Amino acid sequence: MKELMLGNKALARGLWEAGVAFVSSYPGTPSTEITEEAVKFNEIYCEWAPNEKVAMESAFGASLAGKRAFCGQKHVGLNVAADPLFTLSYTGINAGLVIVVADDAGMHSSQNEQDSRHYAIAAKVPMLEPADSAEALNFAKLAYEISEQFDTPVIIKMCTRVAHSQSVVETSERVEHSKTYEKNIAKYVMMPGNAKKRHPIVEERTKKLIEYAETTPINRVEFLTDELGIITSSTSYQYVKEVFGEGASVLKLGMINPLPVELIKNFASRVKKLVVVEELDPIIENHVKSLGLAVEGSELLPRIDEFSQNLVAERLGVRGQGSGVSLEDAIPPRPPVMCAGCPHRGLFYSLKKRKCTVLGDIGCYTLGAVPPLSTIELTLCMGASIGATHGFNKMLGKDSESKTVAVIGDSTFMHSGMTGLANVAYNQSNSTVIILDNSITGMTGHQQNPSTGLNIKGDPAGKIDLEALCRAMGIKRVRVVDPYNLKECDVAIKEELAAQEPSVIISRRPCALLKTVKHKPPLYVDKNKCIGCKSCMKIGCPAISMKDGKAVVDQTQCVGCEVCSQLCPKKAFAREA
Amino acid sequence: METKNIIIVGVGGQGSLLASKILGHLLLNEGFDVKVSEVHGMSQRGGSVITYVRFGDKVYSPVVDKGQADFIVSFEILETARWLSYLKADGQIVTNTQQIDPMPVITGAATYPENLVEKIRAQGIKIDAMDCLTLARQAGSQKAVNIVLLGRLSHYFDISETAWQNSLRANVPPKFLDINQRAFELGKKFV
């Protein structure tokens, strides 16, 4: 049956058709929907793991047990899971094991623009790269065949434009696959003696995979002219076809590691000019150059940001960048903001008021860095807020300890904040850590985590008690505040920064967008009372604006959190009687 | 047929994903090759968002570039102005006239430009500007702004009423179908 399907959903469909029985992932844009779609199939056990490393190890455990298994993550998630990946290359697998890494060229929702193809090369595992939803589905199935044929994990590299684009797919039925587990110490126990014997097997496997890459139908030549030959893959292929149509021959690579040798040499020999079109790093280009072939790529195309058809057309000399009309008016930017009623807002206002140095983390609350709150001074990677605060305080002592806080979300704390807090407790820095517990993984679109008490299906699950956990690590000062209560937040921040020992403040209030959260009716501003002092504007609530010198509340956005009314000196915020 | 391009623009959370879902369903059923490209994640939090819908005999790129859009469907008038350069010379705009202040306007760092509809029209651009929020409320829910816009867009397509209705039915919950059908009708009949 033909369907229009999101790339990530198509990949999940491919997992189901391939007989996958186990999926464990940590959410991350643009990979999240693969697991959210996979859970809709009853035949697949699915879970959110605390982080990508645990997800990959769990998926490998399932493979070892004889069931086809999967884990998915965004590009930076693979940094976390790199440790198991590199050695899984040595152990190989039992039943097929496929890993998705979703890159984010253009950084639509990421902190860097790393090119994950380097991981496949470094870990010496095969990598496939689909260019649309149909390929996402079919490559998922093929990846399991490759995994089992060559005894290796296989990575599928997605990118934002494949993951989050819908295109037409044809679906088919599920085929079950199962193996039995057999004890094999020499294969699975990677102590030096065994690992030394496995490494040559890995090198031998790569040679066989290169032979496979020479003939696999997913590396295909579309020969149309000898004037120009373009080697490309993924979404870049779509831009090339859009621009050139029949005007260029194309070598479309579906397998990006290892790369073929003879296929490329042969293609190069048939065209007068050879160009590589690939986003981010020059990986195909460098390979082609290593074969001694004349090729252009980096001279023409940027090594930052994602491509588009206009960019490819302009850089390859087909036509100029397109342009349309525009107005003379300056169009104010519309950056993302914390939602109306976001529980993070009150807490950040309190931190700003106390002039705190705030070292932040990854999540919606990163928006605490933008005006008017402009409070967060660091965002690096998952969990880094606590480690960085520890080092910062150790070096600056009292001056810093009395005003520096780490802020980290509940899900991020579960992901990799716990070990940072262990370091604070163990090496005793006088650090204050604020866990912004909105009871959900927010930015990626509401996924459960180990502290929410619900599993991926929304059913009751184990629930980690954050207070008890922090105390068990040896943090004696642990307190909970409601971020809608500014006074309570202010007192807690003041007291914990003054304390001469490590402390944790848990700022607890569920995300305002959760369907289970019941809101109070919206507020309005009594125009007779409002003096236009703009005190309520300091919190950056998208529901409040100034009209004719008075504050007004957008009734369609306001959820009645009352943080604004706590700032009003004239008690001008009210509700309809 | 040459590939046709639609961009759907607005503010994160306004419901552009449902609009693109209905369009995708409709165009696929009409026998076209279709690609829809969406935005998820950070910018969804009240930021400027764009969704691309492309259809034709064979569609390659999932995105629409500057100067290529046959239609701009917009949930908010400042966003219409922001993405104006994506419109083709003879392209058509279907827009909501609603104004949602972005944070730089709220904080006073920038001002919201005035009379945007008139300024766009003065450039000779075809623009249908509707107060979709009021029309949606008339239909029964302020959330039906997206369907009001689609109703107006349908005016420019040579696709049967039945086909549009089928795609509506397939993509909105049954209990909201009435409201959405009314919203579609109000948009379609807008003059």
Side-chain angles (χ1 to χ4, degrees):
Chain A
M1 195 180 106
K2 271 191 174 181
E3 278 182 67
L4 194 59
M5 206 180 268
L6 195 68
N8 279 345
K9 185 177 178 180
L11 202 136
R13 174 78 195 193
L15 298 180
W16 179 77
E17 291 181 9
V20 167
F22 184 95
V23 170
S24 184
S25 303
Y26 185 81
T29 312
S31 71
T32 312
E33 299 80 10
I34 302 170
T35 302
E36 290 185 324
E37 291 295 335
V39 76
K40 293 175 184 170
F41 296 107
N42 288 329
E43 295 87 347
I44 307 179
Y45 167 82
C46 281
E47 63 179 26
W48 291 124
N51 69 27
E52 296 85 354
K53 178 178 186 293
V54 175
M56 190 177 292
E57 292 155 352
S58 302
F60 173 60
S63 153
L64 202 59
K67 300 294 181 186
R68 285 188 166 183
F70 171 85
C71 70
Q73 58 247 292
K74 68 183 296 172
H75 58 335
V76 286
L78 193 53
N79 299 339
V80 179
D83 200 2
L85 173 68
F86 278 69
T87 306
L88 281 175
S89 174
Y90 280 36
T91 62
I93 49 93
N94 185 22
L97 176 63
V98 172
I99 295 157
V100 154
V101 59
D103 280 14
D104 190 18
M107 289 182 277
H108 297 274
S109 197
S110 301
Q111 67 268 40
N112 77 26
E113 206 171 26
Q114 69 189 49
D115 188 330
S116 297
R117 294 178 296 173
H118 293 290
Y119 273 113
I121 297 165
K124 302 171 192 281
V125 296
M127 178 181 263
L128 310 184
E129 201 175 26
D132 58 21
S133 298
E135 287 194 349
L137 194 161
N138 292 325
F139 285 19
K141 292 160 77 173
L142 178 65
Y144 282 95
E145 288 173 28
I146 296 171
S147 176
E148 289 173 1
Q149 184 184 340
F150 293 92
D151 189 12
T152 176
V154 174
I155 303 175
I156 297 177
K157 200 210 95 176
M158 299 286 273
C159 66
T160 297
R161 293 301 177 195
V162 175
H164 286 164
S165 292
Q166 300 177 44
S167 55
V168 182
V169 301
E170 279 193 63
T171 57
S172 50
E173 288 310 302
R174 177 177 170 93
V175 181
E176 296 292 343
H177 286 272
S178 219
K179 292 189 169 185
T180 51
Y181 170 65
E182 281 169 31
K183 182 173 173 178
N184 188 341
I185 290 173
K187 184 172 188 289
Y188 295 123
V189 181
M190 284 303 96
M191 53 189 182
N194 290 343
K196 279 185 183 177
K197 289 176 190 137
R198 293 297 301 177
H199 191 180
I201 294 171
V202 172
E203 298 303 327
E204 206 49 45
R205 181 180 73 203
T206 298
K207 284 182 193 159
K208 288 179 187 152
L209 281 162
I210 293 171
E211 285 170 28
Y212 179 88
E214 302 288 3
T215 55
T216 176
I218 68 170
N219 289 340
R220 68 167 190 268
V221 173
E222 298 172 10
F223 196 85
L224 296 159
T225 166
D226 63 358
E227 291 298 321
L228 174 64
I230 297 175
I231 306 176
T232 187
S233 71
S234 184
T235 191
S236 297
Y237 165 80
Q238 309 291 2
Y239 304 138
V240 165
K241 292 299 285 186
E242 179 92 22
V243 169
F244 288 95
E246 313 269 292
S249 294
V250 172
L251 170 54
K252 197 267 186 196
L253 296 171
M255 188 167 182
I256 214 71
N257 189 62
L259 288 163
V261 173
E262 295 308 320
L263 182 64
I264 290 172
K265 283 183 176 169
N266 187 278
F267 181 71
S269 72
R270 297 170 71 189
V271 293
K272 290 175 188 160
K273 183 182 173 183
L274 189 64
V275 176
V276 172
V277 178
E278 60 187 322
E279 285 178 343
L280 299 179
D281 297 340
I283 286 174
I284 301 171
E285 181 186 341
N286 286 349
H287 172 75
V288 174
K289 283 179 175 163
S290 79
L291 303 177
L293 300 168
V295 64
E296 288 179 71
S298 297
E299 304 88 336
L300 303 170
L301 292 151
R303 299 272 72 111
I304 53 169
D305 210 345
E306 60 178 350
F307 293 172
S308 68
Q309 54 265 40
N310 277 2
L311 180 120
V312 169
E314 185 210 6
R315 298 301 179 92
L316 269 59
V318 177
R319 55 176 160 82
Q321 281 262 20
S323 64
V325 283
S326 55
L327 300 179
E328 284 172 12
D329 296 71
I331 305 297
R334 191 186 299 275
V337 291
M338 286 180 195
C339 308
C342 176
H344 301 324
R345 178 173 288 108
L347 198 276
F348 277 107
Y349 173 77
S350 303
L351 291 170
K352 186 183 174 81
K353 196 178 147 204
R354 290 233 156 250
K355 297 188 167 60
C356 291
T357 302
V358 182
L359 304 186
D361 226 294
I362 305 285
C364 287
Y365 47 90
T366 307
L367 296 170
V370 302
L373 290 165
S374 308
T375 306
I376 284 187
E377 299 180 36
L378 172 78
T379 296
L380 182 66
C381 66
M382 296 286 283
S385 60
I386 303 179
T389 300
H390 173 79
F392 199 71
N393 281 340
K394 278 284 182 190
M395 288 300 100
L396 296 179
K398 272 203 167 60
D399 286 349
S400 159
E401 290 163 5
S402 61
K403 64 173 191 180
T404 303
V405 299
V407 294
I408 182 166
D410 50 323
S411 188
T412 309
F413 182 71
M414 285 289 120
H415 178 284
S416 48
M418 289 189 287
T419 41
L421 190 64
N423 195 33
V424 168
Y426 168 50
N427 286 309
Q428 287 288 301
S429 66
N430 181 10
S431 295
T432 302
V433 173
I434 302 178
I435 302 174
L436 302 167
D437 179 9
N438 65 351
S439 310
I440 203 73
T441 314
M443 181 62 83
T444 44
H446 289 171
Q447 291 75 31
Q448 305 296 338
N449 70 60
S451 70
T452 65
L454 299 171
N455 66 18
I456 190 171
K457 291 187 168 179
D459 296 330
K463 180 177 168 68
I464 290 176
D465 180 332
L466 289 175
E467 295 93 305
L469 174 69
C470 296
R471 289 200 181 96
M473 283 188 179
I475 309 290
K476 296 190 191 79
R477 299 184 67 98
V478 180
R479 65 200 282 180
V480 179
V481 298
D482 177 359
Y484 277 3
N485 186 330
L486 295 181
K487 178 87 181 152
E488 189 183 339
C489 289
D490 188 57
V491 170
I493 292 164
K494 183 184 162 197
E495 290 179 0
E496 297 315 319
L497 282 170
Q500 295 302 305
E501 60 179 303
S503 56
V504 171
I505 301 170
I506 300 170
S507 171
R508 179 168 290 149
R509 170 68 74 167
C511 172
L513 296 183
L514 278 172
K515 291 204 170 98
T516 50
V517 172
K518 293 281 169 264
H519 294 296
K520 292 184 184 172
L523 299 173
Y524 76 97
V525 176
D526 183 338
K527 279 187 180 156
N528 298 322
K529 289 186 181 171
C530 178
I531 53 169
C533 70
K534 296 188 181 176
S535 293
C536 56
M537 302 298 290
K538 291 178 188 161
I539 49 172
C541 177
I544 310 174
S545 54
M546 298 296 291
K547 290 274 149 67
D548 306 322
K550 307 268 181 181
V552 286
V553 176
D554 177 352
Q555 301 288 304
T556 65
Q557 287 200 65
C558 178
V559 295
C561 75
E562 299 175 11
V563 170
C564 54
S565 56
Q566 294 168 58
L567 298 171
C568 180
K570 296 291 174 188
K571 308 226 177 309
F573 289 91
R575 281 203 175 84
E576 303 284 351
Chain B
M1 188 192 95
E2 198 187 330
T3 299
K4 292 276 183 194
N5 301 313
I6 306 168
I7 63 170
I8 305 172
V9 301
V11 179
Q14 277 192 300
S16 59
L17 287 187
L18 178 64
S20 63
K21 201 174 161 191
I22 293 169
L23 272 178
H25 182 271
L26 173 86
L27 295 165
L28 186 70
N29 280 353
E30 290 294 301
F32 295 110
D33 186 22
V34 185
K35 282 191 179 171
V36 178
S37 195
E38 309 166 353
V39 179
H40 301 231
M42 176 71 93
S43 55
Q44 280 284 300
R45 299 280 169 262
S48 171
V49 293
I50 180 165
T51 304
Y52 310 97
V53 179
R54 312 191 70 213
F55 64 103
D57 294 335
K58 173 72 188 163
V59 180
Y60 287 107
S61 170
V63 298
V64 177
D65 236 327
K66 283 185 177 171
Q68 295 182 343
D70 296 278
F71 296 95
I72 294 179
V73 177
S74 174
F75 286 72
E76 202 271 352
I77 189 66
L78 181 65
E79 295 310 309
T80 311
R82 183 186 316 286
W83 298 99
L84 200 58
S85 62
Y86 279 66
L87 195 68
K88 261 187 193 165
D90 58 345
Q92 171 75 44
I93 296 173
V94 174
T95 185
N96 186 5
T97 51
Q98 189 184 354
Q99 296 192 7
I100 300 173
D101 286 352
M103 196 49 66
V105 171
I106 289 176
T107 61
T111 49
Y112 198 110
E114 293 179 335
N115 306 322
L116 285 170
V117 174
E118 292 72 19
K119 285 173 186 166
I120 292 168
R121 198 167 275 142
Q123 299 232 9
I125 294 166
K126 293 180 279 180
I127 178 168
D128 289 345
M130 314 181 282
D131 178 358
C132 297
L133 204 56
T134 301
L135 292 171
R137 282 181 185 135
Q138 267 177 40
S141 166
Q142 63 182 25
K143 287 184 180 164
V145 163
N146 43 16
I147 309 299
V148 174
L149 287 166
L150 285 187
R152 186 59 198 165
L153 183 69
S154 74
H155 184 80
Y156 298 102
F157 282 60
D158 189 18
I159 293 176
S160 74
E161 175 73 18
T162 321
W164 282 96
Q165 289 298 334
N166 286 344
S167 290
L168 264 187
R169 203 169 297 117
N171 290 290
V172 304
K175 63 174 173 175
F176 297 125
L177 186 61
D178 270 6
I179 292 173
N180 284 303
Q181 282 174 332
R182 279 198 295 276
F184 188 85
E185 209 49 37
L186 285 169
K188 193 177 172 188
K189 289 192 176 137
F190 173 84
V191 185

